[in-house]
Amino acid sequence: YFPQGEPQPLEGIDYYFTDATVAGINRQAAKHPLRGMLYLRDELKAVFAFDRFGKGTERQDFLSFYDGAGNKELRAEGYLSRLERILLSIFGTIQPEVLRKMMQDGSDPDGQWARFLFVVQPLQESSLRGNRTKHNINTELIDPLYKKIDLLPPMTYQLGSEAFDSYATYYDQLEHLRCTHPDPGMRAVYSKMQGTIGRLALNLHVIYQVLGQPEGTISHEIHQMHIKQAGNLAKFFIHQIKLLRSTITDAGNHELAPHLAAIVERSRQVGS
């Protein structure tokens, strides 16, 4: 499972999978070290059913994937894989009540939940009327975008001077909250969000460049605009996490709808 030279292109590229083991992820990363993987799961609870195959460190292995660093699997018969990087994202859905039970008291001592960006979906009626569109988002936007990004050569991206100043401001604010917030679960969120802003800005930069620039040209310098956009997204996700956590840490409000929980959270902020 050691990569020999440049990775070979895949026939019938798979951009995602729906079930996996740590060993399977390691081996796929070894075969195709420059290809990112998307773990797409409709019921996210299954992702967190660790140690299904008797490997006692599966939870810790999944947590370590967050940083993108590689690993070396050494067994009695020798190395199973030797990886410089593992590029893995996890996306899916889960019912709030199920997630609430899994998060327990919300203290998040190992930062597992702080590694995820949550969106709390409000209970809202839908209608088939008025929702018609002439365009297929997957085939006309997402698929072409993925294919264009696949053609980009490996490169190192940097922050421009103004972008760095903006990022430093966000970092300092989050660092202060990481050190002073009374809730250990939120301290973990603020700690992870420092790096998340950079990840979001990089993704925004690449998407804007791929969609807006001539074929094959892309700037290595991330603009201040994308740092500010990423900062706004971070504020949104922090707010979503607070909504979710307000139903966990306050047993008396655990049945509140998201918009009512937002009112409760806002009243606490004003009161403090």
Side-chain angles (χ1 to χ4, degrees):
Y1 295 106
F2 297 103
Q4 301 294 328
E6 291 296 321
Q8 298 299 311
L10 295 177
E11 294 295 334
I13 294 174
D14 284 326
Y15 288 110
Y16 69 94
F17 54 84
T18 58
D19 193 19
T21 63
V22 170
I25 292 172
N26 286 341
R27 283 159 178 72
Q28 181 67 8
K31 292 178 183 177
H32 307 283
L34 298 183
R35 178 170 299 285
M37 293 175 279
L38 173 62
Y39 193 165
L40 181 64
R41 192 80 190 216
D42 181 49
E43 295 289 346
L44 274 176
K45 183 179 180 180
V47 176
F48 306 115
F50 298 119
D51 306 329
R52 291 175 294 168
F53 303 96
K55 188 175 185 295
T57 62
E58 192 170 82
R59 175 189 177 93
Q60 289 72 28
D61 290 337
F62 264 92
L63 295 183
S64 68
F65 288 156
Y66 178 81
D67 293 322
N71 61 19
K72 297 180 180 181
E73 283 188 289
L74 179 61
R75 300 293 184 266
E77 60 273 24
Y79 281 107
L80 298 182
S81 61
R82 182 182 295 154
L83 310 172
E84 294 184 4
R85 66 185 66 85
I86 296 178
L87 307 176
L88 175 69
S89 293
I90 301 175
F91 180 84
T93 59
I94 190 170
Q95 295 83 2
E97 184 63 31
V98 174
L99 179 60
R100 187 180 302 123
K101 291 179 180 178
M102 295 176 66
M103 295 180 75
Q104 299 179 351
D105 64 355
S107 59
D108 200 15
D110 60 4
Q112 171 176 309
W113 305 111
R115 287 167 164 81
F116 288 86
L117 300 177
F118 294 98
V119 175
V120 181
Q121 294 284 1
L123 181 61
Q124 185 174 345
E125 293 183 7
S126 62
S127 173
L128 293 180
R129 295 183 177 87
N131 290 334
R132 297 179 182 179
T133 177
K134 297 183 296 183
H135 304 288
N136 185 303
I137 294 177
N138 286 333
T139 59
E140 296 184 26
L141 177 61
I142 297 180
D143 286 355
L145 176 63
Y146 276 27
K147 292 174 181 177
K148 288 181 180 179
I149 292 175
D150 266 347
L151 297 176
L152 295 177
M155 58 188 300
T156 300
Y157 296 90
Q158 299 176 339
L159 296 178
S161 58
E162 293 181 345
F164 177 83
D165 289 340
S166 294
Y167 175 72
T169 299
Y170 289 123
Y171 182 93
D172 291 345
Q173 293 171 351
L174 292 168
E175 180 69 5
H176 175 73
L177 290 168
R178 182 187 71 83
C179 295
T180 61
H181 200 280
D183 184 343
M186 286 305 301
R187 290 201 296 270
V189 169
Y190 293 127
S191 175
K192 295 299 182 185
M193 199 61 70
Q194 294 171 347
T196 297
I197 289 180
R199 297 173 186 226
L200 292 171
L202 175 58
N203 279 276
L204 289 168
H205 170 76
V206 172
I207 291 171
Y208 272 79
Q209 289 283 306
V210 167
L211 294 180
Q213 299 294 330
E215 200 75 24
T217 63
I218 185 170
S219 171
H220 71 278
E221 184 174 296
I222 299 175
H223 194 272
Q224 182 187 34
M225 174 184 69
H226 299 310
I227 293 294
K228 291 185 176 181
Q229 291 171 334
N232 289 332
L233 283 172
K235 292 177 183 178
F236 168 80
F237 287 121
I238 288 172
H239 178 66
Q240 295 292 297
I241 293 169
K242 287 181 177 179
L243 291 182
L244 178 63
R245 291 178 59 79
S246 69
T247 66
I248 296 172
T249 58
D250 190 341
N253 292 326
H254 78 281
E255 293 297 334
L256 287 180
H259 66 285
L260 296 179
I263 296 175
V264 173
E265 175 63 24
R266 179 59 180 166
S267 66
R268 288 173 177 164
Q269 294 174 355
V270 173
S272 61

